[in-house]
Amino acid sequence: MNKDQILSMTALALGQAIRDKKTTSVEATAALLAAISENEPKYNCYISVFEKQALSDAKAVQVKIDSGELTSPLAGVPVAIKDNMCTKDRQTTCGSKILSNFIPPYSATMVSKLEAAGAVIIGKLNMDEFAMGSTTETSYYGVTKNPWDVSRVPGGSSGGAAAAVSAGEAFLAFGSDTGGSIRQPCSFCGVSGIKPTYGTVSRFGLVAYASSLDQIGPIGQNILDCAAALNIVMGKDPKDQTTMDSTPVDLDEARAFDVKGLRIGIPLDYFGEGLDPDVKARVLEAAEKLKSMGAILEEFRLPIVEYAVPTYYIIACAEACSNLSRFDGIKYGFRAEGAKDLLDVYFKSRSEGFGLEVKHRIMLGNFVLSSGYYDAYYRKALQVKALIKKSFDEAFAKYDLILGPTAPTTALPIGESLSDPLKMYLGDIYTVLVNIVGLPAATIPCGLDSRGLPVGMQLIGNHRQEQTIINAAAAFQRATDFHLQKPNRNEGQV
Ligand code: GLN
């Protein structure tokens, strides 16, 4: 197979081609490395690329595939990982200056699982610093450009991951989603992704942002690639006590699934003020498509949406300020020069090591946890969390899935969000609720806006109902070709 044939494949197709001996893991890795070095100057998806190690890993994996020792559907396939998941002996920066020299002495559980299944770790993807942001602009390593229009952001915080898959710089990527960081960049870059039920994928080795919300998940060219990737990394891990045993997604069931009789709720509160008319139109057309295929659609109210953003930012910042206290210039990474005493080491290292957005969040988190404000903000947010749980329980008594937009807009111009952070926070309105109550949700492309930029629709399921989400998404992708639309990569602009 030649380089272009290899690069045109999905991750599952490439895995099959390697098992069928039509190509090899080394050929695929070399082809991808060439695509990365050709496109990186345009898009900046990666923080580091493990060229040498990936090629030698691919060689070792190929031997095991040939001997029949490795049979996983993704054995031999190069996989890219957001730079907040630890890779033993390979730089892990979390998009921050404070971890710019951090070489982890261990790998995240999900990285070890991928390697055990024969996936080849090709490199680490750009992201908002500590996964805080919706644009990848807060990265210490520069913004990633959206492959559909290089003057626009790829979304965030897993912007490097979504852009890499969209730009043909990754067959498959892993992101993390604390409040939408897998789904929103997938929506902006026209690719598919899933944030699993909280506890499905181990967070051991994931640099923590907000521990009760963080979850790792796959990003791919279609939902079946994502499902295959999820199956490899899921499962109970003694090193993360919040994990549980999960049933692998049955890909054959998804391939044959008929949406006839599937009950889908359309939350009217996801279609109100602030939603771009093009996004609204594309998502409602997608809902109509599912209806024409036999799904039963019903509108319902989810008024709790109004409280989504404040509740999320209180909980996320409270947990973040505590999690980030470990970065003090002593234990990990960057230490500032010229400190007078120990306190000054902490002060200077954190002042120089963290970027502005991270500092905002640390201050906000300390504020909502401080003794005078704890009851008014943090405790209140936990009470609202209970109400959100109740609203979703009521909805899932009636519906198998909830369908709505992933984000209120398509990709925004670079520079627009950081000048108005409140507007950026409001952009998380449709994604954060599911993190607050630990639900699974996927996003898949459902068309283009009037500028030719991709629109994503979100499918939310009840706890542990990844199969239902993937079944419906796979049926939609069989019946449509939105996921096959690609940016004009030569121009970088549609
Ligand atoms: N945009 C949200 C935030 O900045 C979500 C980020 C995420 O999911 N990591 O907190």
Side-chain angles (χ1 to χ4, degrees), residues 82 131-134 156-157 176-181 209 312-313 361 428:
K82 184 177 181 179
M132 296 172 185
S134 308
S157 64
S176 65
D177 192 312
T178 304
S181 277
Y209 166 8
Y312 167 78
Y313 275 94
R361 312 259 180 137
D428 296 334

Side-chain angles (χ1 to χ4, degrees), residues 16-59:
Q16 187 66 53
I18 293 172
R19 284 196 302 287
D20 292 345
K21 303 204 184 307
K22 292 188 180 128
T23 184
T24 64
S25 181
V26 178
E27 257 176 25
T29 303
L32 190 59
L33 286 169
I36 292 171
S37 60
E38 189 183 323
N39 289 305
E40 269 304 271
K42 261 188 293 188
Y43 305 129
N44 191 33
C45 302
Y46 284 85
I47 291 176
S48 40
V49 179
F50 308 136
E51 201 167 327
K52 258 198 177 148
Q53 176 154 4
L55 282 169
S56 77
D57 286 354
K59 251 185 226 153

